[in-house]
Amino acid sequence: LHKYTFPKSSSSNVILDLTHRDFARHGEIDITGNNEISGMRVSRKWAGKQILYFVIQFSKPFIKSGIAKADVANKKSRHRSGSLLKAFVSFETAEGEVIYARVGISAVSKEGARKNLESEQPGFDFENTKRNAEAAWNKELSKIEVEADNEHKRTFYTALYHSMIAPNTYQDVDGKYRGRDFKVHETNGFTYHTVFSLWDTYRALHPLLTIIDRKRTSDFINNFFTQYQQGGLLPVWELAANETFCMIGYHAVPVIADAYFKGIEGINPQLALEAMQKSAKTAEKGLRSIMRTRTVLIDISLYRYRKGMSHYFKNGYIKNSFMSGSVAKTLEFAYDDWCIAQMAKAIDSTSVYEKYIKRAANYKNVYDPATGFMRARSGRGFVTGFDPLKASLTTYCEANAWQYSCYAPQDISGLIRLGGGKERYSQFLDSLFNTTSKLKGSITQDISGLIGQYAHGNEPSHHVAYMYNYSGQPWKTQNMVRRIMNEMYQDKPDGLSGNEDCGQMSAWYVFGALGFYPVCPGSDHYAIGSPVVDKATIHLENGKAFTVIANVNQKENVYINSARLNGNNFTKSFLTYSDIANGGVLELNMGSEPNKNWGSGEGDVPVTKIDP
């Protein structure tokens, strides 16, 4: 519902511009009455073919109208089609007169847009619509109630709001939607969505929604299965019925696994394992040839992709000359493969488990013990000319060796052993945070929010501050995550240190503010950090509540001196999912000096490892 306030005029205009933003492949505009415009638009940018139908109704009849094609207006035209379309409507208005426009959209049809409009926005009552929107958002945001000073409270609820903006509902009120095959389908028992930025959101956004929005999480997983059945793959980065193949990995896999192990209903484990394996075999950009007219360039890309994957399956790493992002892909495939192995283990598929648990250890194949970094392989050895500050699209993904050398969330125990043990690995983390913030090579704007070579403005770094817990020095995690929250998030329009990435950046803050974080989605553990709010209560959908209280939580008191869980002394530097889901109270006593004994003893340190 739009609200326009005009001056006194005999020609107050509203322009509908279908050429704006991305490339308009085709459009249609119909002036269907003296207060209505309808039509459709097909555009190309991130999504190769985005289809949108619309119906717009004004609260007052317009006195004249017209449609322009290539900026040549025709005041008598009531229908036009093409790629360069605009329309205008004119009103006679008094000083300060308000005109409203209500807009319905659909990816299916003009009739769908009209049904959506009549169902979801039946009138022009702007203030009532605003009140209803506020009430709806307040209900959602009240899933977590926090007590904090005004600055931290504003930052927290802005972050929680951002974490709820995507994925988007992508069906009409009658259940019809445009599927991955671009055909019109109808949902059966779940709500269809779009905008799955999975390389980003598998890390914190989806694990957060698994806790506070389980019904929608079930819908998302069924979306994945439906897209797999319609398009042959689980989504990589799906947008408006298009698989964009943006980013790397097959990260629908950890979202499914994490949801399944957290008891989300409606997940078919056999179908999940089938879809996971198919995506593990055939993901990545070379598959654009499935969807588009084959070209020499795509054929070469597909050839290199197949060689790269064949090398990965045979040798356990991707040869640098075969595929871009060779190190990053080797590392991310290994984690996704671990998730597949856990799913196979859960349903007693022994042969699948053995295959993928072996592949889960492939991260070791790009680790260079001489330098302590994850490096590109040439086939016979490591690629020469190595510089850990150098960001390279052929080797990493929006990152450099510093950021990716901490990525083996499925086997942090093994990674620490490679790094020389807990003390030496903690020293490596110290070096990462304290080294120069200088960058070299293919520097993208995504590598931002730097503390040393920790880049909070992009996702590969997001788990790193919590890794001190795994090396037995949780007080360093407490200090660093509090620093990141204070330096990289503010209650201002420019209050983020990097791309929001469909809620991931803000979901990190939500977890951080609560005091724990899912370092390895698909596992049962959440590493404890340092809550920035004084008290937080998560209202769970099972009717229970989990509360975190930070006593004496002044700005300088970033360290946990002691803790109690449900009244009992608590010494672990991690929570389990059942700790949260069963409800209860975690009480943390904060101080300005670290208690190096808390959370670092035998059995108190979180562990991820690859079991034989």
Side-chain angles (χ1 to χ4, degrees):
L1 184 60
H2 300 203
K3 179 182 179 180
Y4 300 101
T5 304
F6 288 101
K8 178 178 174 61
S9 174
S10 60
S11 184
S12 293
N13 300 307
V14 175
I15 295 175
L16 172 65
D17 182 0
L18 297 194
T19 70
H20 182 68
R21 188 177 177 268
D22 51 2
F23 175 70
R25 298 171 56 169
H26 178 73
E28 296 178 10
I29 297 177
D30 288 285
I31 299 175
T32 49
N34 64 0
N35 77 328
E36 181 179 286
I37 305 176
S38 62
M40 64 91 67
R41 184 175 188 267
V42 182
S43 62
R44 182 182 74 230
K45 196 171 185 180
W46 198 326
K49 184 180 181 182
Q50 185 166 352
I51 300 173
L52 180 73
Y53 295 87
F54 59 88
V55 174
I56 305 170
Q57 294 179 350
F58 295 90
S59 59
K60 178 180 180 176
F62 35 80
I63 58 174
K64 58 182 177 180
S65 63
I67 304 174
K69 189 169 185 178
D71 284 332
V72 178
N74 184 334
K75 297 180 180 179
K76 296 182 180 180
S77 177
R78 311 292 287 181
H79 169 83
R80 299 199 81 170
S81 62
S83 60
L84 299 172
L85 298 183
K86 301 178 185 178
F88 73 92
V89 295
S90 294
F91 304 90
E92 185 173 347
T93 55
E95 181 65 32
E97 183 174 350
V98 172
I99 295 176
Y100 300 98
R102 60 190 190 119
V103 182
I105 60 173
S106 168
V108 174
S109 66
K110 192 186 300 184
E111 293 74 20
R114 191 178 300 279
K115 287 181 181 179
N116 295 340
L117 180 63
E118 296 300 333
S119 174
E120 297 178 336
Q121 189 56 51
F124 295 99
D125 189 336
F126 191 85
E127 292 305 316
N128 187 56
T129 299
K130 185 170 178 284
R131 283 192 297 270
N132 289 341
E134 289 171 347
W137 273 111
N138 193 55
K139 179 181 178 182
E140 292 297 317
L141 296 174
S142 293
K143 290 178 176 179
I144 305 178
E145 294 187 74
V146 302
E147 296 178 13
D149 61 68
N150 286 336
E151 179 182 350
H152 286 114
K153 188 178 287 188
R154 282 193 296 268
T155 305
F156 179 85
Y157 282 110
T158 300
L160 189 57
Y161 166 73
H162 283 184
S163 73
M164 295 176 173
I165 291 176
N168 307 150
T169 302
Y170 197 57
Q171 68 176 55
D172 294 343
V173 293
D174 60 7
K176 293 180 179 178
Y177 68 93
R178 189 169 299 279
R180 276 283 291 108
D181 54 5
F182 281 90
K183 297 178 182 178
V184 174
H185 302 269
E186 192 166 341
T187 56
N188 180 21
F190 70 96
T191 301
Y192 196 79
H193 289 76
T194 189
V195 188
F196 288 104
S197 180
L198 293 166
W199 184 82
D200 310 290
T201 57
Y202 85 84
R203 305 165 196 263
L205 176 69
H206 283 289
L208 174 65
L209 298 180
T210 298
I211 295 173
I212 68 172
D213 209 338
R214 294 171 69 82
K215 171 60 173 68
R216 284 194 178 94
T217 296
S218 178
D219 287 345
F220 299 155
I221 305 304
N222 280 288
N223 272 220
F224 296 170
F225 294 158
T226 299
Q227 291 184 15
Y228 164 67
Q229 291 166 332
Q230 294 172 355
L233 285 176
L234 292 170
V236 176
W237 211 125
E238 183 273 343
L239 172 61
N242 295 255
E243 178 51 77
T244 68
F245 290 102
C246 181
M247 307 311 293
I248 63 176
Y250 27 96
H251 294 310
V253 167
V255 176
I256 297 170
D258 193 56
Y260 181 76
F261 294 130
K262 302 302 188 328
I264 297 295
E265 296 179 353
I267 298 176
N268 181 331
Q270 285 75 27
L271 178 59
L273 187 60
E274 173 194 314
M276 288 174 169
Q277 292 183 85
K278 180 69 176 296
S279 290
K281 292 176 182 176
T282 56
E284 297 303 315
K285 291 184 178 181
L287 288 170
R288 288 179 178 174
S289 60
I290 293 175
M291 302 173 57
R292 302 179 184 176
T293 302
R294 295 176 70 89
T295 66
V296 172
L297 180 62
I298 288 176
D299 283 344
I300 293 173
S301 174
L302 184 59
Y303 170 74
R304 292 185 65 202
Y305 165 74
R306 285 174 172 159
K307 283 192 70 176
M309 292 306 294
S310 176
H311 196 273
Y312 176 75
F313 296 150
K314 181 179 179 181
N315 300 297
Y317 66 93
I318 296 171
K319 189 176 177 180
N320 197 55
S321 60
F322 284 164
M323 194 185 298
S324 64
S326 62
V327 173
K329 288 175 181 176
T330 297
L331 296 171
E332 295 192 28
F333 290 173
Y335 165 66
D336 290 341
D337 289 343
W338 177 83
C339 292
I340 296 173
Q342 303 314 301
M343 200 74 192
K345 186 177 182 179
I347 61 174
D348 297 323
S349 182
T350 303
S351 62
V352 175
Y353 171 78
E354 291 175 349
K355 174 182 178 180
Y356 283 93
I357 201 65
K358 180 179 179 181
R359 281 169 48 167
N362 282 345
Y363 75 92
K364 298 177 182 179
N365 297 327
V366 291
Y367 179 80
D368 176 17
T371 62
F373 289 97
M374 301 292 182
R375 291 183 54 185
R377 296 280 299 271
S378 63
R380 295 182 178 179
F382 291 102
V383 175
T384 58
F386 173 69
D387 184 340
L389 298 176
K390 184 178 180 180
S392 169
L393 296 177
T394 62
T395 306
Y396 304 103
C397 179
E398 298 181 356
N400 61 22
W402 274 110
Q403 288 121 41
Y404 260 106
S405 293
C406 295
Y407 189 89
Q410 74 278 18
D411 189 22
I412 297 175
S413 297
L415 184 62
I416 289 173
R417 283 195 300 273
L418 287 178
K422 290 183 177 181
E423 183 61 36
R424 286 191 62 185
Y425 195 77
S426 291
Q427 292 171 4
F428 177 83
L429 295 175
D430 292 343
S431 298
L432 183 149
F433 285 107
N434 292 310
T435 192
T436 177
S437 293
K438 183 179 180 180
L439 296 169
K440 299 179 181 179
S442 303
I443 303 171
T444 70
Q445 62 186 4
D446 300 274
I447 308 176
S448 60
L450 289 162
I451 301 175
Q453 284 297 307
Y454 174 86
H456 191 73
N458 208 24
E459 282 67 25
S461 290
H462 274 190
H463 67 293
V464 173
Y466 288 91
M467 292 185 70
Y468 284 115
N469 284 29
Y470 295 79
S471 62
Q473 297 186 0
W475 64 91
K476 291 183 178 179
T477 285
Q478 295 155 29
N479 179 63
M480 189 54 65
V481 296
R482 187 71 75 94
R483 178 182 173 183
I484 293 167
M485 283 187 281
N486 287 332
E487 292 185 8
M488 303 297 170
Y489 297 87
Q490 288 84 37
D491 59 339
K492 298 178 177 65
D494 60 348
L496 292 177
S497 61
N499 188 343
E500 177 63 85
D501 282 322
C502 297
Q504 168 60 26
M505 193 69 63
S506 288
W508 188 99
Y509 184 87
V510 171
F511 271 120
L514 295 175
F516 54 92
Y517 186 82
V519 170
C520 181
S523 75
D524 192 38
H525 289 175
Y526 301 82
I528 292 177
S530 178
V532 77
V533 300
D534 301 328
K535 181 179 180 181
T537 299
I538 306 171
H539 297 286
L540 303 167
E541 292 175 32
N542 61 9
K544 299 178 181 180
F546 183 75
T547 300
V548 179
I549 299 172
N551 293 319
V552 203
N553 199 29
Q554 282 95 352
K555 184 177 182 180
E556 66 276 9
N557 291 352
V558 303
Y559 298 106
I560 299 172
N561 288 164
S562 63
R564 296 177 72 83
L565 179 62
N566 300 328
N568 299 313
N569 188 41
F570 188 73
T571 60
K572 299 180 186 300
S573 63
F574 64 94
L575 293 167
T576 66
Y577 175 72
S578 60
D579 290 332
I580 300 168
N582 291 336
V585 178
L586 175 66
E587 191 171 356
L588 306 173
N589 298 313
M590 311 302 292
S592 60
E593 296 294 329
N595 176 0
K596 296 183 180 181
N597 293 319
W598 185 88
S600 58
E602 186 70 26
D604 292 335
V605 175
V607 173
T608 65
K609 62 180 181 178
I610 295 177
D611 294 319

